Amino acid sequence: MTPEEIQALFTRSDGAFLFARWGRPIVPIVFGVTDETLATVKGAFEAVVPLADHKMAETDPELGANCMVFFFREWSELPEVPDLDRLIPDLVPLVARLEDAGANQYRIFRFDEDGAIRAAFVLLRMDRELSKVPAETLALSQVVQTILLWSDTAFRDRSPLAVAGDTTILRPDIAGLIRAAYDPVLPAVAQDPSHALRLFARMERPQ
């Protein structure tokens, strides 16, 4: 992966470069799934978070859980979730926009005062398309896209996952970038594109 490719993964559609990682342990909670799928989603967190050498915890002192994953059939179900509008401001107009767009997924991030990620909300409308995706693949993809604040266009043309034999895995270059992103020497937030060079310098080189 070149510095230019890394820079593109954090350059938003409006041209602004913005990198952010979690500044606190991740406490996931999952709604709307069976126990089997719950275990799959939590397993994805338990695979990706240690890869970043980051931490998970049982509770967040401020929020209880700070990474909430919602599975549902229709966007109209979300405003009916008690107190969700307190966690996600302007929930009703957001739902209307997502319905109009025919979207099947959406991620919302909240940030600490210094700009590090403090919370994330992953919204998954299980339409026909998403329902075809194996639970392991869907869970891994969502966790990867939540571990960092990627660009809104980062994985539009190429998935962060790859297939090895019969197994879906995280692409090695993306895994290396996630590891580099959590290097404690690097800041948790960056708005200068030169940060891509610092990430590149810390990625493991192929042998």
Side-chain angles (χ1 to χ4, degrees), residues 53 82 86:
D53 199 23
R86 293 170 55 190

Side-chain angles (χ1 to χ4, degrees), residues 5 8 46 58 93 95 108 111 147 178:
E5 288 171 328
E46 289 164 357
E58 291 297 319
V95 164
I108 303 163
F111 304 93
I147 194 71
I178 291 171

Side-chain angles (χ1 to χ4, degrees), residues 24-36:
R24 56 179 67 192
I26 298 175
V27 184
I29 188 169
V30 186
F31 300 92
V33 295
T34 62
D35 288 346
E36 182 180 2

Side-chain angles (χ1 to χ4, degrees), residues 103-125:
N104 60 12
Q105 57 185 291
Y106 193 71
R107 284 170 295 279
I108 303 163
F109 291 88
R110 295 285 177 263
F111 304 93
D112 288 327
E113 288 183 4
D114 64 358
I117 300 170
R118 68 186 276 262
F121 304 90
V122 180
L123 311 177
L124 298 170
R125 180 174 71 88

